[in-house]
Amino acid sequence: MHKQVLIAGGGIGGLAAALGCSRAGWEVRLYERADAFTEVGAGVQIGPNVVRRLQAWGLQSALQAVAAFPDRLQVRSAQGGRELASLRLGATVIERYGAAYATIHRADLHGLLLQAVRGRPEVHLNLGQAVERHAEEGGAVTLRLVRRDGTAVEVEGDAFIGADGLRSGTRARLLGEAPTRVSGHLAYRAVVRQDALPQALRTTRVTAWLGPRLHVVQYPLRRGELMNVVAIRHGTPPADLETWDHGANAQELEAALAGTCTALQDLVRAVPQAGSGWRLWPLLDRPPVAGPHEMARGLIALLGDAAHPMRPYLAQGAGMAIEDAAELQRALAMHDLDVPLRLRRYALNRWQRNARVQERSRRNGTIFHATGPLRWGRDMALRLLGERILDVPWLYRGDGSSASLL
């Protein structure tokens, strides 16, 4: 009889965990509080470390159908517009790391994972059920689930994975209540159809515009049909985002970019002109993971943002959740070990890498938004070192199987 794992959360991390656990030979019961599987947000970048893992799960064709594969990453000055450095992607990255560098809409990544788990009979997806509490006793985990109509039910499993996001209830119950950190950075995100933009503003590349106390990133999505634009600046979020008038975001952002070059201002102004709106997101995180005890205890483990939320300055938030799921798969497949030892093995193999990515992401934010002498030193280093400073071998080598060309 297969062991049964219970999973809280039906986002990218939860679905990746469900896929990995099922491939490890476990029966999976996933619980999502919403009434439908949806994914909010805009685009994400997934480096070759993540693409390799998706390919190992048999998702290469599904990825090719919905992603874009930029040929180049370039860093430009937000003030002067000049290129500071570039990194060849495309075939160069495939040759170097065994897989491509891709950019994808969050909804498309979520959708391909959802389709993959729906095709597996050992995965049971349950909507409209929130995990109210969990308890570990007698070698099993019991969850109390509350449905939309207020009725409650208890279910039991051999392990429990909290993949319930930044405000994880599983984490709070396991590690104690601890608020997320307010970063002091605000993200304005938009997705626009490329054919609605002037030809000069369309792109097949990843471009990062770096300026004092701000930066903007743009890249293609969905085979190049769409473009993702994210502008991040220092600032204080409104008191209540639920009642915030997002129609004012365009004016706010244009004012914040008043001192930048014409090309960047043209791009930002073109977004509402092309019929798209800016959504405001305050950026939150937690301190880097301090040890394996923050990712697994007994029969319970945390995955993705529930374990290690991070700032987006290394473009690895979704990637680390997928890597977590791959390591969870390897650990749960160690059938000669007791389940707590398998989960501890998962945590031991993941916590240091996640902590390193969290810390590097935070540091990158300081570098991206540098002012004064730090900014001049950054620009000089980019001009002198080029690809050597933009490439991240320790990150992109990652682990997992090699992959065929995309």
Side-chain angles (χ1 to χ4, degrees), residues 12 15 39 105-116:
I12 288 170
L15 293 177
E39 181 60 51
H105 199 292
R106 291 189 70 91
D108 293 337
L109 178 57
H110 185 269
L112 68 87
L113 290 169
L114 180 59
Q115 184 176 8

Side-chain angles (χ1 to χ4, degrees), residues 193-217:
R193 290 196 59 84
Q194 296 230 52
D195 61 11
L197 295 171
Q199 186 67 44
L201 296 180
R202 302 175 193 178
T203 190
T204 60
R205 299 173 174 173
V206 179
T207 301
W209 305 78
L210 307 186
R213 298 173 63 82
L214 63 86
H215 80 284
V216 179
V217 179

Side-chain angles (χ1 to χ4, degrees), residues 67-83:
F69 299 92
D71 57 359
R72 193 162 169 248
L73 182 153
Q74 62 178 351
V75 178
R76 298 178 65 175
S77 166
Q79 290 181 300
R82 67 189 180 281
E83 182 177 285

